[in-house]
Amino acid sequence: MTKRKMFLVVTSLMLFFGGYFLYRSYYEENFANTEKGKVEIAFINGFTGGDGAYMKKITDGFNQSQDKYHIVELQEKDHYTKFKSGNYDLVVIHGNNLDTYKKDGLIQDISPVLEKAGIKETDFHPAGLKIMKLDGKLFAAPLDIHPLTMLYNKDFVSQEVSTYEDLIKLNTVLQAKNKNVYALGVPSSGLVEFYMLTIAAQNGIDLKKDNYLNFSQPEFADALMTFHDMIWKDKISPPGLGLDGEFQSFMKQAKGGGGTAQTAIALTGPWFYGAAKEQYGDRLGVTSVPKLGEKQAVYGNSHTIALSSKVEDPEVLEGISAFLEYLYTPEHLIHWAEGGQAPLHLPTIKLMEEHKEKYEVAYANTQQFDTFVPAPQVYLFGEQMRYMNTTVFTKLVSNKNFTKEQLMDELNKATDLAKQIGNAEPKK
């Protein structure tokens, strides 16, 4: 054998065994717990942001609390895809996806597992059951709701802002002092689904028809024009805000003679609270979204914990019950509130109430649960909303001369697309 061939063989062996030992090390650390005599429970979620560390506190705490079961937690950006193709026992599913996963046969009724853990439906706020209960069965354990949230700068906002009229009054005061400071900002993309479904809920508009989302309603067009008027008629929002513009403008500092627009209020997601708190400290306020329509209501999404339809092993089911019993203990679930999430578990909400300042944004959002309206339960909800999210809202807020008639044309198109997607629903 030549020296060159010998070199290539040795190099190949080194690469092979190097990769093997790296894989073995990873496998032993994350999956090979059966050799320790423990029953594995594979738990996959999409908590790849800041909230991941708080869920890890809970799963690590459970693993250390007993020696019979071991939660193998995977936090993956594309966790939905991996769940569908992999072998997992528990999965976190957003509330607006739950109906789809149930209809696709990927999850099963979790009630027996909860019952074994001593967890009752009455342990949760009724808002959670609106999401988790499908066809009379509980298809997930309620974890949290993250509704549209109002953050405000106390330097600008000294009185309660709870109505559209309050926003106009605040804007008049702010503009009189500095033309670059507005009441709030309306984005052209980002959390626009939260905006559209909140205004629908506040005007009592039901978007579900049969198995699809029916946007083609004149009343819905009227409601949506509220956001157009915020910018172009009442001018309580600066024009031209882009992705997450409601938060970006809130974090800016307007100059007296410059062109930078700053806003006093952000109607945004609770996940932005940490960055805002770091910048504003005690000057940051958190409260419910104002009434922009006919009544108080708010839309948001939620995290649920669902049981894979593949799980049949009695020992694994016993372990899942033990984990959920541990999770839904206030001193353990409170870690989720530390990350800014608003748990639906009533005993945990009570614990949060005793320490409101520590769990400021989470507790503030629990106060919106009574007026929370979930996503309509339709197949592939996200796909049915896609054209509204990517195109319609952008046109609505970006074009000064956009009319209700033009909006209705777009809503008709969005409805046709939604109907096509709804028709792909699996037949029973």
Side-chain angles (χ1 to χ4, degrees):
M1 182 180 293
T2 66
K3 289 184 179 180
R4 177 175 175 77
K5 287 184 178 180
M6 177 66 74
F7 174 78
L8 291 173
V9 170
V10 171
T11 301
S12 298
L13 288 171
M14 288 175 65
L15 289 171
F16 172 80
F17 284 109
Y20 169 78
F21 286 119
L22 281 173
Y23 169 79
R24 181 175 177 81
S25 174
Y26 176 81
Y27 177 86
E28 288 177 345
E29 180 180 349
N30 292 281
F31 296 97
N33 298 296
T34 50
E35 66 184 14
K36 302 174 185 177
K38 294 186 178 183
V39 176
E40 286 184 358
I41 299 163
F43 175 35
I44 189 167
N45 59 63
F47 301 138
T48 56
D51 47 8
Y54 297 97
M55 181 54 69
K56 198 77 168 60
K57 275 187 181 182
I58 297 172
T59 54
D60 284 350
F62 172 74
N63 289 339
Q64 295 163 11
S65 71
Q66 43 73 51
D67 56 9
K68 188 175 180 180
Y69 308 106
H70 187 93
I71 296 289
V72 181
E73 184 187 1
L74 291 180
Q75 298 175 349
E76 299 284 346
K77 187 174 182 180
D78 57 345
H79 83 287
Y80 283 131
T81 301
K82 292 191 175 181
F83 170 70
K84 290 177 182 179
S85 60
N87 190 23
Y88 301 96
D89 304 307
L90 288 176
V91 57
V92 169
I93 299 178
H94 287 91
N96 58 13
N97 287 331
L98 200 62
D99 187 59
T100 298
Y101 276 67
K102 178 249 182 187
K103 287 173 177 171
D104 283 342
L106 295 169
I107 56 177
Q108 60 178 295
D109 181 2
I110 202 171
S111 300
V113 175
L114 292 174
E115 185 178 350
K116 182 74 175 177
I119 299 168
K120 306 180 294 295
E121 289 186 12
T122 52
D123 291 334
F124 301 100
H125 192 284
L129 302 181
K130 292 180 184 178
I131 304 163
M132 268 53 79
K133 210 157 191 179
L134 305 170
D135 296 334
K137 296 180 180 180
L138 208 61
F139 275 86
L143 187 56
D144 65 63
I145 287 174
H146 36 278
L148 194 65
T149 304
M150 176 171 151
L151 305 181
Y152 63 94
N153 185 336
K154 294 178 182 178
D155 287 345
F156 295 134
V157 183
S158 57
Q159 295 182 339
E160 182 181 15
V161 176
S162 58
T163 66
Y164 194 99
E165 291 70 26
D166 291 340
L167 287 169
I168 292 176
K169 290 177 183 176
L170 173 64
N171 196 66
T172 301
V173 173
L174 295 174
Q175 288 280 294
K177 296 179 180 178
N178 187 335
K179 289 295 183 182
N180 291 320
V181 180
Y182 296 78
L184 55 70
V186 178
S188 61
S189 62
L191 276 179
V192 298
E193 177 183 304
F194 284 53
Y195 280 59
M196 289 186 284
L197 294 193
T198 290
I199 205 67
Q202 290 193 353
N203 286 281
I205 298 167
D206 184 1
L207 292 176
K208 181 178 179 180
K209 183 177 181 180
D210 299 328
N211 62 349
Y212 66 93
L213 295 176
N214 177 27
F215 306 111
S216 302
Q217 303 181 51
E219 297 83 5
F220 187 43
D222 287 333
L224 288 176
M225 288 300 291
T226 301
F227 299 115
H228 177 272
D229 291 348
M230 280 183 169
I231 302 169
W232 303 109
K233 178 184 174 184
D234 298 317
K235 299 182 179 179
I236 61 178
S237 166
L241 298 183
L243 175 66
D244 298 329
E246 83 290 343
F247 182 69
Q248 301 301 329
S249 58
F250 180 70
M251 295 291 280
K252 288 179 179 177
Q253 303 292 320
K255 305 298 182 182
T260 301
Q262 181 179 4
T263 54
I265 291 170
L267 304 183
T268 192
W271 47 87
F272 284 126
Y273 169 81
K277 189 68 175 178
E278 184 176 345
Q279 176 162 312
Y280 290 113
D282 292 339
R283 294 178 294 143
L284 179 70
V286 187
T287 191
S288 303
V289 300
K291 182 166 71 73
L292 306 176
E294 297 176 358
K295 63 181 181 178
Q296 189 66 46
V298 68
Y299 166 77
N301 212 338
S302 60
H303 293 118
T304 77
I305 299 180
L307 176 64
S308 169
S309 56
K310 297 178 182 178
V311 182
E312 298 177 352
D313 188 328
E315 282 194 306
V316 173
L317 290 169
E318 288 274 354
I320 291 171
S321 289
F323 171 61
L324 293 177
E325 182 179 2
Y326 178 92
L327 171 68
Y328 290 111
T329 302
E331 55 265 34
H332 302 148
L333 191 56
I334 199 69
H335 292 311
W336 199 231
E338 288 175 12
Q341 301 285 0
L344 284 152
H345 187 236
L346 293 175
T348 305
I349 293 175
K350 184 177 180 181
L351 179 58
M352 289 165 54
E353 188 173 10
E354 297 169 3
H355 307 278
K356 295 178 185 177
E357 293 183 1
K358 183 175 181 180
Y359 308 107
E360 183 180 27
V361 68
Y363 181 74
N365 277 332
T366 65
Q367 303 309 291
Q368 299 200 88
F369 285 176
D370 287 341
T371 59
F372 172 77
V373 177
Q377 294 175 354
V378 293
Y379 188 67
L380 293 175
F381 168 83
E383 290 304 310
Q384 293 200 32
M385 280 293 304
R386 184 176 297 279
Y387 187 71
M388 293 293 296
N389 290 336
T390 61
T391 305
V392 179
F393 196 86
T394 303
K395 289 184 176 182
L396 172 70
V397 301
S398 300
N399 186 344
K400 181 178 180 179
N401 299 316
F402 200 70
T403 65
K404 179 183 173 181
E405 289 70 27
Q406 290 175 307
L407 178 57
M408 279 303 303
D409 289 340
E410 292 295 328
L411 296 181
N412 291 336
K413 183 176 181 180
T415 299
D416 288 342
L417 292 169
K419 191 180 296 187
Q420 292 174 32
I421 294 164
N423 287 337
E425 177 181 323
K427 305 302 179 184
K428 293 183 180 179

